Amino acid sequence: IQNTVFAFQTGHTTGPSLNNDKLYKFAYSAEVYVDRVKASLQKSAGYRISSGVDVNLLWRNPDNDDDQLIKIMIKDVQVENVNERPAAKNIFKGKSTEKILGKEYLEALQRPIVLELVRGKVKTFYSYQNEPAFTQNIKRGLASLFQLQLHSGSTREVDVSGKCNTTYHVRQDQVTKIKDLDSCEIAKEGYTSHNPILDISKKVTSATIYVLEDSFIKSIKAEENYVFLLNFRRKTGAKIVSKQRLELKSVQAGPGLIAGKQVAGVIKTLDSSYVAMPLEAEPVKSECKNCPSLSEHWKSIREHMHPEKLSKAEAAKSFLSFIKSIRKATKEEILQVIRSENKELLPQVVDAVTSAQTPESLEAMLEFLDFKDASTFVLQERFLYACGFASHPSETLLKSLTDKFKGDIANEEIRETLVIVMGALIRKLCDRGGCKLPFVVEAKRLILNRLEKAKKDDNVRMYLLALKNALLPEAIPLLLKYAESEEGHISSLAATALQRYDPSFLTKEVKETMNRIYHQNRKIHEKTVRTTAAAIILNSNPSYMEVKNILLSIGELPMEMNKYMLSMIQDIIHFEMPSSKTVRKVLKDMRAHNYDRFSKMGSSSAYSGYITRGPDVSSTYSLDILYSGSGILRRSNMNIHIFDRNAELHASQVVIEAQGLESIIAATPDEGEENLDSFAGMSAILFDVQLRPVTFFQGYGDLMSKMLSATGDPMNVVKGLILLTDYSQEIQLQAGPMASAEFLGGLAIDISGGMEFSLWYRESKTNVKNRVAVFLAGNTEVDSFFVKTGMETTLEVETALDFISTVQFSQYPFLVCMQMDRIESPFRNHVTKYESLPSGRRYTARRGKAVMLAGNEYPLHQENSNMCRSVFGAKSDSGGGWF
């Protein structure tokens, strides 16, 4: 709608004024359109309600000309397609309005309403009680058009949309009303996803242009637009457009005024059945007719939910549709499905029920799961992880988990997972401004107090992992204490927890501690902690001297650590990281930048690169590997980050750590690592949530038995279904109908990792396989009880990312080959526009495309490519199997 406006001179009233004894006859139409964001409205799905509207003055306050009662009556209602359609595609064809709306609704719609207008604003809306909410809202939408002020300025006013900030521009005989729909206060349900990258952006506008003649309305044109865009792929989205028009056709002789001093008396004389009602729309709940029950729905999708199918798009699609059904189900219906399912499929049911996040689904899960029973370990773990990934967790969920944690838990690993997940929920609730909620405060206090009192390493580890998820500013001093004063994986864990904080939280004290750890000012630290400390310093706006001291240390470090730090510095420059300017400045100093320092041998490395670079989001991977001087892996760390202009998401991290393995090949441990127990394990972060680490072996005896029985089979780290995008908004259109926008995105995932040794070939191999399928379904709909019109959008992709590192430690420097491959991936996108009647008559228009996204072998760096040639060249000569 154009914003051209003219000046306006007003007579004795400050609002529109009707003449006595006149009947104003208007033509009215209300249209809704649903389509893709950039599509023209000519092919949109939608409908139009058109009618005549008769308006006359009933009463004017004898003491105040600006206080009027007007009667508005809708007549000759028609319902039709919003766009011309051939007969075969017209769902309204051959149906009378009475048949489409139903006799009761049509009669209700044509019963008159009365408005009390004071200075152009609707003071009171009178209608009949016990009318259907839908027809009342259509009348409210029409009544709201009669509300306007005849001087420019901003105000907060109530109409069908709720209480909204409204701005009027007045010029001559034209008034433009701009309503800020984001400011409207009205009861409606909805939620958004936790991370902005996975969420939906909404843009809304509303403008109404009035043309006045003879102090009353000649015409009104109103339009509102709702646009929804998927943040990580802004090509995918939807829009709802609602238009209203009111045009004066004629003015005829009409009924006379009703005499009276007070409004109440006049209304009583007119019709004692009239009741004063709010002008803002009342909620309308549409009932689902012929919808399958929850157990029927489960039976129809069950075959897609077998564990071996969990990396297929069909599994993610079924998961989302099941969540939608669970959200409408009672606790009893949910328990009926859970209790009737077998062991193989139950974990997937648990994923969906927990992800539904309704009070009923949570109650059902808490009733079904018995944490005192160790035999249901898998289901307890799946429930807890689904809680950790919750898109909009409630305080009740955190309270329930805190209560469970204080009670008896049969399995120690479940106890650990439980507190780790509590940490993730604390962070999500804090991110939404809930840090001071009573149960959040209680959970924070419990974790911090228990950590301070913990004596056993396992307990310390568990609370540190919880803090690694919670990222509480008040936990930083505790993390510093553990990073600097402890040994082994406890200090390493505290340091990696600090690494996850936003640099703005890393105070002078944090940086001083990290510098002490890296430079070993107080005690000897192992390599994994020192390199993490260096990464924290270099990532938090380091000073010139901090960078210079780190560069001067290269050459004095243990052999492989020299190479690793060198590689980290080169990666900062190559990838233009924030500290790269300072690093370049320091490198101009020849003491820091000389051949002796920069020619250190070794096989450790750190490298970052782009997986995708797009107009909406980009994703990066970083891969760093640190070895001990004897050629045995100490740590391999693979990260994937997704980011846009405003937000970042740590999509995944897989860390494989090993220590104390030198004795197997009779090698000497590095400085500070002489007393470390033999250990290898794997830790993962998925969508910003740290999971419970998995141990491959602990202790020398365990290591030898695993090596002798090794099959090389990968160990499962994560398997399941995760709800990523979870957006639902109800929209009250100003014409009266309710609309809704719902976007659900699901991920079916299977991550496994393994580590193999061959003493015979003096070779080790680590393998991380990521298998994922993503399915996103969006439905934008205007649901009027007599017709549904909307648009469904779906996206699906299946892919796999493999990371393999092979190390040959028969010579020094040993050979290391890293491979990162993404397989060819199918991508499908469909859009379906529809209009349907309750009778089942339906119109649909569908279009879609499918493409294959090419596979990719990520180049990493030149040095790596050279090494891979050597490793595979040597291998083809030797032949033979493992062990």
Side-chain angles (χ1 to χ4, degrees), residues 391-402:
S391 50
H392 49 273
S394 64
E395 194 190 2
T396 316
L397 174 60
L398 179 60
K399 179 189 184 301
S400 307
L401 295 191
T402 309

Side-chain angles (χ1 to χ4, degrees), residues 621-667:
Y621 65 88
S622 66
L623 184 55
D624 57 84
I625 296 205
L626 176 64
Y627 293 94
S628 69
S630 52
I632 289 182
L633 176 80
R634 281 294 273 115
R635 183 184 65 210
S636 89
N637 186 349
M638 162 88 182
N639 287 281
I640 296 175
H641 284 87
I642 303 171
F643 56 92
D644 63 12
R645 290 180 197 88
N646 312 312
E648 185 178 331
L649 172 66
H650 197 169
S652 80
Q653 178 189 67
V654 179
V655 179
I656 293 182
E657 254 186 280
Q659 64 178 41
L661 305 186
E662 282 73 15
S663 52
I664 315 167
I665 56 167

